[in-house]
Amino acid sequence: MMRRFTLIAVPYLWLLLLFLVPFVIVLKISLSDTALSIPPYTPVLDWAEGIRAFFSQLDFENFVWLTQDDLYWKAYLSSFSIALVSTLLTLLIGYPIAYGMARAPEEWRPTLMMLIILPFWTSFLIRVYAWMGILSNEGFLNQFLLWLGLIDTPLTILNTNTAVYIGIVYTYLPFMILPIYAALDRLDGSLIEAAEDLGCSRLLAFWLVVIPLSRNGIVAGCFLVFIPALGEFVIPSLLGGSGTLMIGKVLWEEFFSNRDWPVASAVAVVLLLILVVPIVLFQRNQQKQAEAEQ
Amino acid sequence: MRLSWFNVVSLTLGFAFLYIPMIILVIFSFNESKLVTVWAGFSTKWYAELMQNEAFLNAAWVTVKVAVFSSTLATVLGTMAAYVLIRGGRFMGRTLFSGMIYAPLVMPEVITGLSLLLLFIGIGLDRGVLTVVLAHTTFSMCYVSVVVSSRLATFDRSLEEAALDLGCTAIEAFRLVTLPIIAPAVISGWLLAFTLSLDDLVIASFTTGPSATTLPIKIFSAVRLGVSPEINALSTLMIAIVTIGVITASLVSKRNLARQRKDEQLAVRAS
């Protein structure tokens, strides 16, 4: 009995102390006044004072500030739209790859799988960095296009939102491909043949049979790209420009450059509230899938 | 099923998209010129310069230390957590526990980093190697526990029960039966935790102090100023290590699988 208690208590306490408590602190600081002292916040509530003090001293000033300054809601909105567009782009690029993998000869598949997973093990930072040399004005892409004669003057891609889209699609592509491939791999090929025998064209059979049967994979892949893309920091700060507004970057700057901890905490709390919806939907999709498999 | 021309084209373009950026990076790490986009002849001088760059070497050492400690700790905690989730039965606060296991997987890194930093400041812990290890352990133990629990969920529980019936204590049953069966998952959990720690920029930036700069932090501050051949050389080394590691791991697991199959066939024939 004692042993079972230890087994549960150790990881439980670890997560309570290093995951849950820090969130309570973020919430608490987001409700504090900004003071010029270091650390730059004055504790609004003391733990000892109890619940009544908690409610009487709450201060939503930082959240009000988020709604008053254009920067924040614009950043939330543009993060949302950048994440959404890049998720759709990743789907459009990832689906044909996953489909090709699922139709490849059996003996190729482990190798193809490994080739998809391999980039995931290499440093994220390096994969983003690789695009800096490609997209810059003297970069390979411009050199290549100039050489082809498609353009006369180099295109400005680095430090724009286009570069951010490319970066997100590139780094999160494996997350889209793997769940779709898993869904397509289970698909019974005779269903497609049946559809074709019944008079469907190949395209129509694909649209009516393959796509609906891989729906769970598509949904899972989209969430796996959208959720991390929304709070992304590295990609917008390396590939994006001064005009690229993403909330992860705003939070980082609020914290490291402006040293305004209460506002940074408020930004984090709102980001979390926005993320709750897709996260819950994702969980539900996964659960449904697990039930369907049983 | 047969590959159509469309499948072939999408596979070719897809893999080209995934691999060409890294191939360009590797090629230009051997460039003579400081300009990273103009080829000026083969040279390994950037590797030589990298080996003399103390700041990078120190950062690499810190990173490896952090990764070894945090991934080992995360593997122990994550395996315990997986066991509790799958075999623990009912206990108070089980829903909260499983929520805390899955939440860090989808949490934006900026939030995890910020919250941990505020905790460390709140309890007055000096920021350095220790705080980064604590932070990395916390998020990677969740990945380990997901990997291990998926293995635990699929294996036949009657094997454990048989060991208990035959007189094993619970600990012996775990050590002699459960652990060998889940070992591959535990090892891949450790590898995952190790690479996550090596790779992490955001959480480390929040939770570290001036005494412990990790390699990603160092690379990030160098890269912000633009592309440099030295960083290309460093990236090439990291890509090479990972590639060798992944290929070795897959060959080893393939060999183990083959041996297991052979053993099973022998067992069938013997019976």
Side-chain angles (χ1 to χ4, degrees), chain A residues 4 12 14 18 22-23 26 96-97 99 103 115 121 123-125 129 132 140 143 170 252 255 261 272 275, chain B residues 2 7 17-19 24 28 37 88 90 93 107-108 114-117 121 138 195 199 205 216 227-228 232:
Chain A
R4 178 168 182 264
Y12 209 126
W14 184 286
L18 285 145
F23 275 114
V26 169
I97 301 173
Y99 188 56
R103 289 178 58 102
L115 284 172
W121 290 89
S123 165
F124 185 81
L125 192 55
Y129 165 72
M132 290 175 71
F140 301 101
Q143 283 181 22
Y170 181 70
W252 178 284
F255 191 84
W261 295 10
L272 210 59
L275 273 173
Chain B
R2 210 164 38 81
N7 295 142
F17 176 63
L18 277 176
Y19 281 92
I24 292 178
F28 275 80
T37 49
R90 282 162 194 273
M107 197 59 65
L114 176 75
S115 65
L116 281 165
L117 169 63
I121 288 175
T138 307
T195 30
D199 203 16
S205 300
V227 183
S228 92
N232 280 12

Tab-separated table of all heavy atoms in Angstrom, chain A residues 4 12 14 18 22-23 26 96-97 99 103 115 121 123-125 129 132 140 143 170 252 255 261 272 275, chain B residues 2 7 17-19 24 28 37 88 90 93 107-108 114-117 121 138 195 199 205 216 227-228 232:
chain	number	residue	atom	x	y	z
A	4	ARG	N	2.448	1.740	-3.383
A	4	ARG	CA	1.540	2.288	-4.375
A	4	ARG	C	1.408	3.799	-4.170
A	4	ARG	O	1.398	4.577	-5.115
A	4	ARG	CB	0.172	1.613	-4.258
A	4	ARG	CG	-0.842	2.157	-5.227
A	4	ARG	CD	-2.068	1.274	-5.290
A	4	ARG	NE	-2.997	1.805	-6.264
A	4	ARG	CZ	-4.028	2.590	-5.949
A	4	ARG	NH1	-4.241	2.922	-4.710
A	4	ARG	NH2	-4.825	3.052	-6.894
A	12	TYR	N	3.034	12.803	-9.218
A	12	TYR	CA	1.918	13.714	-8.959
A	12	TYR	C	2.428	15.023	-8.359
A	12	TYR	O	2.123	16.122	-8.846
A	12	TYR	CB	0.922	13.049	-8.003
A	12	TYR	CG	-0.498	13.508	-8.172
A	12	TYR	CD1	-1.521	12.593	-8.378
A	12	TYR	CD2	-0.820	14.854	-8.115
A	12	TYR	CE1	-2.825	12.998	-8.542
A	12	TYR	CE2	-2.127	15.269	-8.276
A	12	TYR	CZ	-3.120	14.352	-8.485
A	12	TYR	OH	-4.410	14.764	-8.651
A	14	TRP	N	5.441	16.194	-8.375
A	14	TRP	CA	6.331	16.871	-9.319
A	14	TRP	C	5.518	17.768	-10.257
A	14	TRP	O	5.829	18.942	-10.459
A	14	TRP	CB	7.144	15.844	-10.112
A	14	TRP	CG	8.137	16.467	-11.037
A	14	TRP	CD1	7.877	17.092	-12.220
A	14	TRP	CD2	9.553	16.567	-10.844
A	14	TRP	NE1	9.041	17.567	-12.774
A	14	TRP	CE2	10.074	17.256	-11.958
A	14	TRP	CE3	10.431	16.131	-9.848
A	14	TRP	CZ2	11.438	17.524	-12.090
A	14	TRP	CZ3	11.785	16.387	-9.994
A	14	TRP	CH2	12.269	17.085	-11.105
A	18	LEU	N	5.628	21.789	-10.394
A	18	LEU	CA	6.329	22.403	-11.515
A	18	LEU	C	5.438	22.642	-12.724
A	18	LEU	O	5.880	23.156	-13.738
A	18	LEU	CB	7.539	21.564	-11.918
A	18	LEU	CG	8.686	21.720	-10.929
A	18	LEU	CD1	9.440	20.440	-10.755
A	18	LEU	CD2	9.613	22.836	-11.364
A	22	PRO	N	3.072	26.860	-11.032
A	22	PRO	CA	3.519	27.977	-11.884
A	22	PRO	C	2.366	28.686	-12.600
A	22	PRO	O	2.387	29.907	-12.744
A	22	PRO	CB	4.445	27.301	-12.886
A	22	PRO	CG	4.965	26.124	-12.181
A	22	PRO	CD	3.883	25.653	-11.283
A	23	PHE	N	1.325	27.928	-12.991
A	23	PHE	CA	0.196	28.581	-13.656
A	23	PHE	C	-0.574	29.474	-12.728
A	23	PHE	O	-1.023	30.552	-13.108
A	23	PHE	CB	-0.752	27.561	-14.261
A	23	PHE	CG	-0.287	27.174	-15.596
A	23	PHE	CD1	0.135	25.911	-15.847
A	23	PHE	CD2	-0.200	28.142	-16.578
A	23	PHE	CE1	0.639	25.591	-17.067
A	23	PHE	CE2	0.290	27.822	-17.798
A	23	PHE	CZ	0.718	26.539	-18.047
A	26	VAL	N	1.309	32.591	-12.559
A	26	VAL	CA	1.096	33.438	-13.739
A	26	VAL	C	-0.238	34.182	-13.608
A	26	VAL	O	-0.316	35.394	-13.844
A	26	VAL	CB	1.092	32.601	-15.040
A	26	VAL	CG1	0.620	33.425	-16.222
A	26	VAL	CG2	2.472	32.064	-15.316
A	96	PRO	N	-1.105	14.952	-50.277
A	96	PRO	CA	-0.610	14.138	-51.406
A	96	PRO	C	0.610	13.303	-51.038
A	96	PRO	O	0.756	12.182	-51.538
A	96	PRO	CB	-0.225	15.197	-52.460
A	96	PRO	CG	-0.979	16.410	-52.088
A	96	PRO	CD	-1.141	16.379	-50.601
A	97	ILE	N	1.451	13.823	-50.134
A	97	ILE	CA	2.635	13.056	-49.738
A	97	ILE	C	2.203	11.816	-48.950
A	97	ILE	O	2.657	10.694	-49.213
A	97	ILE	CB	3.604	13.921	-48.903
A	97	ILE	CG1	4.046	15.148	-49.719
A	97	ILE	CG2	4.818	13.115	-48.477
A	97	ILE	CD1	4.867	16.144	-48.940
A	99	TYR	N	-0.655	10.356	-49.056
A	99	TYR	CA	-1.369	9.476	-49.983
A	99	TYR	C	-0.383	8.658	-50.814
A	99	TYR	O	-0.541	7.440	-50.976
A	99	TYR	CB	-2.272	10.324	-50.884
A	99	TYR	CG	-3.205	9.526	-51.752
A	99	TYR	CD1	-4.095	8.609	-51.210
A	99	TYR	CD2	-3.201	9.707	-53.138
A	99	TYR	CE1	-4.947	7.890	-52.008
A	99	TYR	CE2	-4.064	8.992	-53.949
A	99	TYR	CZ	-4.931	8.082	-53.380
A	99	TYR	OH	-5.774	7.361	-54.169
A	103	ARG	N	0.261	4.482	-50.845
A	103	ARG	CA	0.129	3.671	-52.057
A	103	ARG	C	1.445	3.092	-52.515
A	103	ARG	O	1.485	2.315	-53.480
A	103	ARG	CB	-0.496	4.510	-53.177
A	103	ARG	CG	-1.964	4.812	-52.929
A	103	ARG	CD	-2.519	5.683	-54.024
A	103	ARG	NE	-2.386	5.097	-55.337
A	103	ARG	CZ	-3.388	4.505	-56.001
A	103	ARG	NH1	-4.581	4.469	-55.454
A	103	ARG	NH2	-3.205	4.002	-57.187
A	115	LEU	N	12.138	8.581	-43.362
A	115	LEU	CA	12.523	9.851	-43.989
A	115	LEU	C	11.613	10.993	-43.524
A	115	LEU	O	12.024	12.151	-43.501
A	115	LEU	CB	12.466	9.727	-45.511
A	115	LEU	CG	13.631	8.966	-46.137
A	115	LEU	CD1	13.386	8.733	-47.614
A	115	LEU	CD2	14.929	9.723	-45.927
A	121	TRP	N	13.647	14.738	-35.669
A	121	TRP	CA	14.690	14.547	-34.651
A	121	TRP	C	15.780	15.598	-34.767
A	121	TRP	O	16.540	15.813	-33.837
A	121	TRP	CB	15.321	13.153	-34.763
A	121	TRP	CG	14.412	12.043	-34.347
A	121	TRP	CD1	13.539	11.378	-35.153
A	121	TRP	CD2	14.250	11.476	-33.048
A	121	TRP	NE1	12.853	10.445	-34.421
A	121	TRP	CE2	13.270	10.474	-33.131
A	121	TRP	CE3	14.856	11.718	-31.804
A	121	TRP	CZ2	12.876	9.715	-32.032
A	121	TRP	CZ3	14.455	10.959	-30.712
A	121	TRP	CH2	13.481	9.973	-30.835
A	123	SER	N	17.367	19.384	-35.034
A	123	SER	CA	17.019	20.599	-34.315
A	123	SER	C	16.058	21.488	-35.105
A	123	SER	O	16.272	21.813	-36.263
A	123	SER	CB	18.294	21.362	-33.996
A	123	SER	OG	17.978	22.664	-33.626
A	124	PHE	N	14.996	21.862	-34.418
A	124	PHE	CA	13.993	22.778	-34.947
A	124	PHE	C	14.639	24.096	-35.384
A	124	PHE	O	14.383	24.612	-36.472
A	124	PHE	CB	13.004	23.016	-33.810
A	124	PHE	CG	11.824	23.849	-34.169
A	124	PHE	CD1	10.755	23.292	-34.819
A	124	PHE	CD2	11.778	25.190	-33.824
A	124	PHE	CE1	9.653	24.053	-35.136
A	124	PHE	CE2	10.675	25.951	-34.136
A	124	PHE	CZ	9.618	25.388	-34.795
A	125	LEU	N	15.499	24.607	-34.511
A	125	LEU	CA	16.174	25.876	-34.764
A	125	LEU	C	16.982	25.818	-36.060
A	125	LEU	O	16.952	26.742	-36.875
A	125	LEU	CB	17.090	26.154	-33.567
A	125	LEU	CG	17.706	27.522	-33.404
A	125	LEU	CD1	16.640	28.584	-33.393
A	125	LEU	CD2	18.511	27.562	-32.117
A	129	TYR	N	16.596	27.923	-39.431
A	129	TYR	CA	17.778	28.667	-39.873
A	129	TYR	C	18.118	28.367	-41.335
A	129	TYR	O	18.504	29.266	-42.086
A	129	TYR	CB	18.950	28.317	-38.956
A	129	TYR	CG	20.305	28.705	-39.465
A	129	TYR	CD1	20.691	30.041	-39.500
A	129	TYR	CD2	21.205	27.747	-39.916
A	129	TYR	CE1	21.936	30.398	-39.966
A	129	TYR	CE2	22.450	28.095	-40.385
A	129	TYR	CZ	22.814	29.425	-40.416
A	129	TYR	OH	24.031	29.776	-40.883
A	132	MET	N	16.798	30.713	-43.821
A	132	MET	CA	17.297	32.088	-43.887
A	132	MET	C	18.228	32.270	-45.083
A	132	MET	O	18.181	33.281	-45.771
A	132	MET	CB	18.018	32.470	-42.590
A	132	MET	CG	17.076	32.610	-41.403
A	132	MET	SD	17.954	32.928	-39.864
A	132	MET	CE	18.518	34.599	-40.117
A	140	PHE	N	19.346	31.368	-52.293
A	140	PHE	CA	19.310	30.384	-53.373
A	140	PHE	C	18.036	30.468	-54.199
A	140	PHE	O	18.071	30.301	-55.403
A	140	PHE	CB	19.467	28.985	-52.787
A	140	PHE	CG	20.728	28.844	-52.041
A	140	PHE	CD1	20.741	28.906	-50.667
A	140	PHE	CD2	21.932	28.690	-52.722
A	140	PHE	CE1	21.923	28.813	-49.970
A	140	PHE	CE2	23.109	28.600	-52.037
A	140	PHE	CZ	23.109	28.664	-50.655
A	143	GLN	N	18.417	33.381	-56.557
A	143	GLN	CA	19.422	33.046	-57.569
A	143	GLN	C	18.834	32.095	-58.603
A	143	GLN	O	19.031	32.264	-59.806
A	143	GLN	CB	20.630	32.379	-56.906
A	143	GLN	CG	21.555	33.349	-56.189
A	143	GLN	CD	22.735	32.621	-55.585
A	143	GLN	OE1	23.097	31.520	-56.003
A	143	GLN	NE2	23.346	33.237	-54.589
A	170	TYR	N	7.089	24.037	-43.421
A	170	TYR	CA	8.260	23.166	-43.469
A	170	TYR	C	8.465	22.408	-42.157
A	170	TYR	O	8.645	21.196	-42.153
A	170	TYR	CB	9.499	24.001	-43.784
A	170	TYR	CG	10.761	23.190	-43.872
A	170	TYR	CD1	10.969	22.313	-44.925
A	170	TYR	CD2	11.746	23.288	-42.892
A	170	TYR	CE1	12.120	21.567	-45.010
A	170	TYR	CE2	12.899	22.539	-42.961
A	170	TYR	CZ	13.081	21.682	-44.016
A	170	TYR	OH	14.217	20.927	-44.093
A	252	TRP	N	7.226	37.347	-25.640
A	252	TRP	CA	8.678	37.298	-25.433
A	252	TRP	C	9.229	38.714	-25.248
A	252	TRP	O	9.990	38.991	-24.318
A	252	TRP	CB	9.322	36.613	-26.633
A	252	TRP	CG	10.809	36.524	-26.605
A	252	TRP	CD1	11.706	37.513	-26.857
A	252	TRP	CD2	11.595	35.367	-26.309
A	252	TRP	NE1	12.980	37.057	-26.747
A	252	TRP	CE2	12.950	35.745	-26.419
A	252	TRP	CE3	11.278	34.046	-25.974
A	252	TRP	CZ2	13.989	34.843	-26.196
A	252	TRP	CZ3	12.329	33.150	-25.763
A	252	TRP	CH2	13.665	33.557	-25.871
A	255	PHE	N	8.252	40.462	-22.128
A	255	PHE	CA	8.963	39.945	-20.966
A	255	PHE	C	10.427	40.349	-20.967
A	255	PHE	O	10.934	40.889	-19.990
A	255	PHE	CB	8.843	38.426	-20.920
A	255	PHE	CG	9.325	37.863	-19.635
A	255	PHE	CD1	8.488	37.807	-18.545
A	255	PHE	CD2	10.634	37.442	-19.498
A	255	PHE	CE1	8.942	37.336	-17.340
A	255	PHE	CE2	11.091	36.968	-18.288
A	255	PHE	CZ	10.243	36.911	-17.213
A	261	TRP	N	6.249	42.264	-16.489
A	261	TRP	CA	5.822	40.902	-16.203
A	261	TRP	C	4.318	40.759	-16.082
A	261	TRP	O	3.746	39.783	-16.568
A	261	TRP	CB	6.521	40.382	-14.952
A	261	TRP	CG	7.999	40.261	-15.150
A	261	TRP	CD1	8.718	40.736	-16.207
A	261	TRP	CD2	8.915	39.635	-14.288
A	261	TRP	NE1	10.038	40.436	-16.040
A	261	TRP	CE2	10.193	39.761	-14.865
A	261	TRP	CE3	8.785	38.966	-13.070
A	261	TRP	CZ2	11.328	39.246	-14.265
A	261	TRP	CZ3	9.923	38.453	-12.477
A	261	TRP	CH2	11.186	38.588	-13.068
A	272	LEU	N	-3.794	31.215	-23.470
A	272	LEU	CA	-4.220	29.912	-22.980
A	272	LEU	C	-5.718	29.732	-23.137
A	272	LEU	O	-6.195	28.667	-23.542
A	272	LEU	CB	-3.841	29.803	-21.510
A	272	LEU	CG	-3.545	28.400	-21.036
A	272	LEU	CD1	-2.407	27.813	-21.829
A	272	LEU	CD2	-3.223	28.423	-19.561
A	275	LEU	N	-6.500	28.929	-26.584
A	275	LEU	CA	-6.074	27.580	-26.977
A	275	LEU	C	-6.964	26.484	-26.417
A	275	LEU	O	-6.971	25.366	-26.936
A	275	LEU	CB	-4.640	27.343	-26.510
A	275	LEU	CG	-3.562	27.808	-27.473
A	275	LEU	CD1	-2.200	27.676	-26.833
A	275	LEU	CD2	-3.604	26.979	-28.756
B	2	ARG	N	-1.183	0.556	-56.982
B	2	ARG	CA	-0.035	0.913	-57.800
B	2	ARG	C	0.157	2.423	-57.725
B	2	ARG	O	-0.793	3.177	-57.571
B	2	ARG	CB	-0.315	0.501	-59.247
B	2	ARG	CG	0.904	0.142	-60.045
B	2	ARG	CD	0.481	-0.610	-61.311
B	2	ARG	NE	-0.756	-0.038	-61.873
B	2	ARG	CZ	-0.763	1.062	-62.639
B	2	ARG	NH1	0.341	1.652	-62.962
B	2	ARG	NH2	-1.901	1.537	-63.104
B	7	ASN	N	1.196	10.260	-57.642
B	7	ASN	CA	1.833	9.843	-56.391
B	7	ASN	C	3.338	10.032	-56.465
B	7	ASN	O	3.952	10.514	-55.516
B	7	ASN	CB	1.535	8.361	-56.116
B	7	ASN	CG	0.062	8.117	-55.868
B	7	ASN	OD1	-0.472	7.118	-56.291
B	7	ASN	ND2	-0.597	9.050	-55.196
B	17	PHE	N	11.354	18.965	-50.912
B	17	PHE	CA	11.055	20.102	-50.048
B	17	PHE	C	11.605	19.875	-48.644
B	17	PHE	O	12.174	20.783	-48.030
B	17	PHE	CB	9.536	20.302	-50.015
B	17	PHE	CG	9.054	21.382	-49.102
B	17	PHE	CD1	9.401	22.707	-49.307
B	17	PHE	CD2	8.231	21.076	-48.023
B	17	PHE	CE1	8.945	23.709	-48.467
B	17	PHE	CE2	7.767	22.076	-47.172
B	17	PHE	CZ	8.134	23.393	-47.397
B	18	LEU	N	11.465	18.634	-48.140
B	18	LEU	CA	11.928	18.358	-46.779
B	18	LEU	C	13.455	18.346	-46.678
B	18	LEU	O	14.008	18.715	-45.654
B	18	LEU	CB	11.389	17.009	-46.296
B	18	LEU	CG	9.976	16.973	-45.725
B	18	LEU	CD1	9.579	15.549	-45.403
B	18	LEU	CD2	9.881	17.834	-44.473
B	19	TYR	N	14.116	17.881	-47.735
B	19	TYR	CA	15.549	17.635	-47.593
B	19	TYR	C	16.467	18.655	-48.242
B	19	TYR	O	17.596	18.832	-47.796
B	19	TYR	CB	15.889	16.211	-48.063
B	19	TYR	CG	15.524	15.220	-46.988
B	19	TYR	CD1	14.281	14.617	-46.952
B	19	TYR	CD2	16.407	14.976	-45.951
B	19	TYR	CE1	13.930	13.760	-45.919
B	19	TYR	CE2	16.074	14.127	-44.917
B	19	TYR	CZ	14.830	13.515	-44.906
B	19	TYR	OH	14.495	12.690	-43.883
B	24	ILE	N	21.489	21.913	-48.722
B	24	ILE	CA	22.177	23.174	-49.029
B	24	ILE	C	23.009	23.629	-47.829
B	24	ILE	O	24.167	24.011	-47.965
B	24	ILE	CB	21.152	24.271	-49.413
B	24	ILE	CG1	20.488	23.925	-50.743
B	24	ILE	CG2	21.827	25.634	-49.502
B	24	ILE	CD1	19.428	24.917	-51.168
B	28	PHE	N	27.099	24.119	-47.927
B	28	PHE	CA	27.746	25.409	-47.732
B	28	PHE	C	28.536	25.520	-46.427
B	28	PHE	O	29.210	26.519	-46.202
B	28	PHE	CB	26.729	26.548	-47.883
B	28	PHE	CG	26.569	26.938	-49.320
B	28	PHE	CD1	25.774	26.186	-50.162
B	28	PHE	CD2	27.276	28.011	-49.845
B	28	PHE	CE1	25.655	26.502	-51.499
B	28	PHE	CE2	27.164	28.331	-51.178
B	28	PHE	CZ	26.349	27.576	-52.024
B	37	THR	N	26.231	32.307	-49.706
B	37	THR	CA	25.439	31.959	-50.874
B	37	THR	C	26.269	31.827	-52.142
B	37	THR	O	25.742	31.507	-53.194
B	37	THR	CB	24.328	32.995	-51.109
B	37	THR	OG1	24.904	34.290	-51.053
B	37	THR	CG2	23.248	32.876	-50.058
B	88	GLY	N	-2.644	1.971	-12.289
B	88	GLY	CA	-2.830	2.526	-10.948
B	88	GLY	C	-4.236	2.353	-10.405
B	88	GLY	O	-4.468	2.580	-9.224
B	90	ARG	N	-8.091	3.316	-9.585
B	90	ARG	CA	-8.689	4.597	-9.224
B	90	ARG	C	-7.984	5.190	-8.026
B	90	ARG	O	-7.593	4.477	-7.130
B	90	ARG	CB	-10.159	4.390	-8.844
B	90	ARG	CG	-11.056	4.220	-10.025
B	90	ARG	CD	-12.366	3.603	-9.570
B	90	ARG	NE	-13.124	3.124	-10.702
B	90	ARG	CZ	-13.963	3.898	-11.404
B	90	ARG	NH1	-14.153	5.142	-11.051
B	90	ARG	NH2	-14.613	3.407	-12.435
B	93	GLY	N	-8.125	12.325	-7.507
B	93	GLY	CA	-7.447	13.278	-8.374
B	93	GLY	C	-6.836	12.645	-9.613
B	93	GLY	O	-5.877	13.163	-10.173
B	107	MET	N	0.988	22.707	-24.669
B	107	MET	CA	1.192	24.055	-24.128
B	107	MET	C	2.215	24.823	-24.955
B	107	MET	O	3.264	24.282	-25.271
B	107	MET	CB	1.713	23.887	-22.700
B	107	MET	CG	1.603	25.086	-21.844
B	107	MET	SD	-0.070	25.627	-21.674
B	107	MET	CE	-0.771	24.246	-20.816
B	108	PRO	N	1.914	26.080	-25.332
B	108	PRO	CA	2.938	26.859	-26.019
B	108	PRO	C	4.174	27.006	-25.124
B	108	PRO	O	4.039	27.207	-23.916
B	108	PRO	CB	2.282	28.219	-26.226
B	108	PRO	CG	0.830	27.983	-26.109
B	108	PRO	CD	0.656	26.823	-25.186
B	114	LEU	N	7.619	30.958	-19.249
B	114	LEU	CA	7.275	32.102	-18.391
B	114	LEU	C	6.827	31.629	-17.012
B	114	LEU	O	7.290	32.133	-15.986
B	114	LEU	CB	6.154	32.916	-19.057
B	114	LEU	CG	5.613	34.083	-18.252
B	114	LEU	CD1	6.609	35.224	-18.264
B	114	LEU	CD2	4.281	34.567	-18.815
B	115	SER	N	5.938	30.604	-16.982
B	115	SER	CA	5.383	30.195	-15.697
B	115	SER	C	6.469	29.580	-14.805
B	115	SER	O	6.514	29.847	-13.609
B	115	SER	CB	4.222	29.229	-15.904
B	115	SER	OG	4.681	28.046	-16.471
B	116	LEU	N	7.365	28.792	-15.408
B	116	LEU	CA	8.424	28.191	-14.598
B	116	LEU	C	9.372	29.252	-14.060
B	116	LEU	O	9.818	29.195	-12.924
B	116	LEU	CB	9.185	27.146	-15.418
B	116	LEU	CG	8.464	25.813	-15.530
B	116	LEU	CD1	9.061	24.967	-16.631
B	116	LEU	CD2	8.536	25.057	-14.213
B	117	LEU	N	9.675	30.250	-14.902
B	117	LEU	CA	10.568	31.313	-14.444
B	117	LEU	C	9.967	32.036	-13.245
B	117	LEU	O	10.646	32.290	-12.255
B	117	LEU	CB	10.801	32.314	-15.581
B	117	LEU	CG	11.498	33.598	-15.135
B	117	LEU	CD1	12.886	33.299	-14.619
B	117	LEU	CD2	11.584	34.581	-16.272
B	121	ILE	N	11.648	32.326	-9.508
B	121	ILE	CA	11.886	33.602	-8.839
B	121	ILE	C	11.095	33.657	-7.535
B	121	ILE	O	11.612	34.080	-6.507
B	121	ILE	CB	11.518	34.767	-9.767
B	121	ILE	CG1	12.576	34.861	-10.864
B	121	ILE	CG2	11.438	36.072	-8.998
B	121	ILE	CD1	12.292	35.881	-11.900
B	138	THR	N	10.310	18.450	-16.473
B	138	THR	CA	8.863	18.565	-16.336
B	138	THR	C	8.145	18.353	-17.657
B	138	THR	O	7.187	17.588	-17.735
B	138	THR	CB	8.498	19.942	-15.762
B	138	THR	OG1	9.229	20.132	-14.568
B	138	THR	CG2	7.016	20.040	-15.490
B	195	THR	N	16.519	14.396	-27.002
B	195	THR	CA	16.521	15.315	-28.152
B	195	THR	C	15.677	16.552	-27.867
B	195	THR	O	16.032	17.645	-28.300
B	195	THR	CB	15.995	14.667	-29.443
B	195	THR	OG1	15.049	13.687	-29.096
B	195	THR	CG2	17.082	14.041	-30.240
B	199	ASP	N	17.202	20.354	-28.049
B	199	ASP	CA	16.620	21.191	-29.071
B	199	ASP	C	15.993	22.466	-28.526
B	199	ASP	O	15.756	23.415	-29.246
B	199	ASP	CB	15.517	20.349	-29.746
B	199	ASP	CG	15.225	20.832	-31.128
B	199	ASP	OD1	16.055	21.588	-31.643
B	199	ASP	OD2	14.181	20.475	-31.668
B	205	SER	N	15.627	29.587	-22.505
B	205	SER	CA	15.893	31.024	-22.429
B	205	SER	C	15.219	31.643	-21.217
B	205	SER	O	15.777	32.532	-20.577
B	205	SER	CB	15.374	31.754	-23.666
B	205	SER	OG	15.981	31.257	-24.806
B	216	PRO	N	21.349	25.946	-28.078
B	216	PRO	CA	20.315	26.644	-28.850
B	216	PRO	C	20.249	28.151	-28.557
B	216	PRO	O	20.035	28.942	-29.482
B	216	PRO	CB	19.021	25.947	-28.418
B	216	PRO	CG	19.444	24.594	-28.021
B	216	PRO	CD	20.792	24.765	-27.392
B	227	VAL	N	23.099	34.792	-41.508
B	227	VAL	CA	23.623	33.464	-41.775
B	227	VAL	C	25.139	33.486	-41.662
B	227	VAL	O	25.776	34.430	-42.119
B	227	VAL	CB	23.193	33.023	-43.186
B	227	VAL	CG1	23.647	31.630	-43.482
B	227	VAL	CG2	21.691	33.137	-43.332
B	228	SER	N	25.729	32.475	-41.028
B	228	SER	CA	27.189	32.438	-40.966
B	228	SER	C	27.676	31.018	-41.218
B	228	SER	O	27.010	30.056	-40.841
B	228	SER	CB	27.683	32.928	-39.606
B	228	SER	OG	27.828	31.855	-38.723
B	232	ASN	N	26.630	27.061	-39.981
B	232	ASN	CA	26.379	25.964	-40.919
B	232	ASN	C	27.178	24.734	-40.536
B	232	ASN	O	26.669	23.615	-40.573
B	232	ASN	CB	26.779	26.376	-42.344
B	232	ASN	CG	25.720	27.214	-43.011
B	232	ASN	OD1	24.789	27.676	-42.359
B	232	ASN	ND2	25.864	27.434	-44.294
